[in-house]
């Protein structure tokens, strides 16, 4: 396969065709790829055929039910990503000296959990860079879903609460220890500390699979060879406290969850901590507009305005 620059010049491939290819490779579905690109499905399909014709290879195996990336497509994908990344950097950097940054940044965040004053800091950012469009979204599978969206180019930046990954550039923002929340009538509610083993036979309240705090707790259980029963799965971390207070079960959560009506007990064997980071796919921080927004978020947190 050619080098990235040679690939562009030798094959004279339009970057728009590479955008179609990467989107379909990410989604493995032409309809979803077209929606992501705000393009007609027929346009994306025609673009793929044109790209395959220019390269003289078949990139996908397509049927009425599925799309599968073939070896030639797997070989092309990282090169295509790098080409598009370079093009994006050039597009965003070129007008900087004349009229400031321009572009779009898609940001993934947590639902119903106000760790940062995102409206405030994004408002300040937009006043300095009025030609940058911002899009905020959440994922029904929490940090895991946001990380997947970063990897597949559906997001440019995201808050995540997962262990560091070589796929990302990341900057830790805030950190909280884990604590146990118990109903007031629980036998261990008066204890000075409690272990996971002591709570193993209880019903549990936790987040849905994929959320960063649940990933950490489940890893701690697996390391100890403990199996638990989750009686209630929730979509929002602030809802855990009220559910524990209502007697639905016990919970182990980051120590920022409001615990009114619960008993908060330290863990005998600390796990975690729960670290929330700002992350982007590795190399994306080279984009001037992304780097500027990362700096804005980190400065806001350092100044205590998060």
């Amino acid at each position: 396969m050619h080098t990235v620059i040679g690939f562009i010049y030798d094959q004279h491939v339009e970057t728009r065709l590479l955008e179609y290819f990467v989107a379909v490779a990410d989604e493995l579905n032409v309809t979803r790829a077209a929606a992501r690109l705000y393009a007609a499905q027929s346009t994306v399909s025609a673009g793929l055929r044109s790209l395959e014709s220019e390269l003289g290879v078949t990139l996908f195996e397509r049927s009425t039910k599925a799309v599968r990336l073939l070896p030639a497509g797997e070989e092309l994908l990282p090169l295509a990503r790098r080409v598009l990344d370079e093009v994006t950097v050039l597009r965003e950097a070129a007008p900087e000296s004349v009229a400031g940054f321009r572009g779009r940044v898609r940001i993934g965040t947590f639902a119903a959990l106000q760790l940062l004053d995102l409206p405030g800091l994004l408002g300040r950012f937009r006043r300095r860079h009025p030609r940058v469009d911002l899009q905020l979204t959440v994922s029904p599978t929490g940090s895991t879903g946001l990380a997947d969206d970063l990897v597949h180019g559906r997001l440019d930046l995201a808050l995540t609460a997962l262990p560091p990954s070589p796929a990302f550039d990341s900057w830790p923002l805030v950190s909280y220890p884990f604590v146990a929340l118990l109903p007031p009538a629980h036998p261990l509610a008066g204890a000075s500390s409690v272990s996971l083993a002591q709570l193993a036979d209880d019903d549990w309240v936790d987040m849905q699979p994929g959320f960063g705090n649940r990933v950490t707790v489940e890893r701690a259980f697996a390391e100890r060879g403990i199996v638990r029963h989750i009686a209630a799965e929730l979509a929002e971390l602030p809802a855990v406290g009220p559910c524990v207070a209502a007697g639905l079960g016990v919970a182990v959560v980051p120590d920022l969850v409001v615990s009114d009506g619960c008993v908060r007990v330290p863990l005998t064997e600390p796990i975690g901590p729960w670290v929330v980071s700002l992350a982007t796919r590795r190399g994306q921080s080279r984009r001037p507009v992304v780097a500027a927004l990362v700096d804005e978020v980190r400065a806001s947190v350092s100044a205590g305005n998060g």
Side-chain angles (χ1 to χ4, degrees):
M1 185 68 74
H2 297 288
T3 64
V4 176
I5 300 299
F7 176 77
I8 296 174
Y9 290 128
D10 292 352
Q11 301 294 340
H12 306 291
V13 174
E14 297 179 21
T15 56
R16 189 61 175 165
L17 299 185
L18 294 180
E19 290 175 355
Y20 294 159
F21 164 69
V22 170
V24 174
D26 285 342
E27 305 295 340
L28 293 180
N29 182 286
V30 176
T31 301
R32 289 197 299 269
R36 165 175 154 179
L37 295 168
Y38 303 102
Q41 183 174 335
S42 59
T43 301
V44 173
S45 295
L48 289 179
R49 291 193 295 270
S50 177
L51 180 61
E52 290 176 325
S53 176
E54 287 190 39
L55 298 179
V57 296
T58 302
L59 302 171
F60 296 99
E61 181 180 81
R62 298 188 284 276
S63 69
T64 56
K65 295 183 178 181
V67 174
R68 184 173 69 88
L69 200 60
L70 294 175
E74 292 175 352
E75 188 176 1
L76 175 63
L77 185 57
L79 299 179
R81 287 197 198 280
R82 280 189 286 173
V83 170
L84 295 178
D85 286 347
E86 293 294 335
V87 170
T88 300
V89 169
L90 289 173
R91 285 173 178 166
E92 292 179 352
E96 179 183 352
S97 60
V98 178
F101 296 125
R102 68 164 28 174
R104 179 184 64 164
V105 183
R106 299 160 298 171
I107 306 162
T109 185
F110 301 145
L113 191 62
Q114 299 302 317
L115 294 170
L116 306 171
D117 177 19
L118 273 179
L121 69 88
L122 293 179
R124 293 190 294 273
F125 184 82
R126 277 277 293 169
R127 285 190 288 275
R128 280 194 289 275
H129 308 290
R131 303 178 74 182
V132 176
D133 295 327
L134 304 171
Q135 295 181 351
L136 268 69
T137 187
V138 299
S139 171
T141 52
S143 288
T144 302
L146 294 172
D148 186 69
D149 287 339
L150 284 176
V151 167
H152 291 98
R154 294 184 286 267
L155 290 175
D156 303 302
L157 277 171
L159 297 176
T160 70
L162 297 172
S165 165
F168 302 135
D169 294 322
S170 62
W171 301 266
L173 300 177
V174 293
S175 175
Y176 297 90
F178 280 84
V179 296
L181 296 184
L182 309 180
H186 194 280
L188 295 172
S192 59
S193 64
V194 65
S195 69
L196 295 183
Q198 288 175 296
L199 301 175
D201 293 333
D202 283 278
D203 287 336
W204 278 71
V205 176
D206 209 334
M207 304 300 294
Q208 294 175 354
F211 281 74
N213 57 296
R214 176 163 173 175
V215 169
T216 300
V217 172
E218 288 188 334
R219 181 179 292 116
F221 270 100
E223 290 171 351
R224 292 161 175 78
I226 301 172
V227 178
R228 62 174 176 157
H229 173 248
I230 299 177
E233 290 186 335
L234 309 176
E236 297 178 354
L237 191 54
V240 172
C243 287
V244 171
L248 290 178
V250 302
V252 169
V253 293
D255 194 16
L256 81 163
V257 174
V258 175
S259 56
D260 295 348
C262 308
V263 178
R264 175 187 166 280
V265 183
L267 292 172
T268 304
E269 303 166 302
I271 64 173
W274 188 68
V275 179
V276 176
S277 300
L278 183 65
T280 184
R281 182 162 53 85
R282 186 166 293 282
Q284 282 290 292
S285 55
R286 292 179 57 249
R287 292 175 52 191
V289 65
V290 171
L293 187 50
V294 168
D295 289 343
E296 182 74 42
V297 173
R298 297 180 70 194
S300 181
V301 172
S302 297
N305 297 324

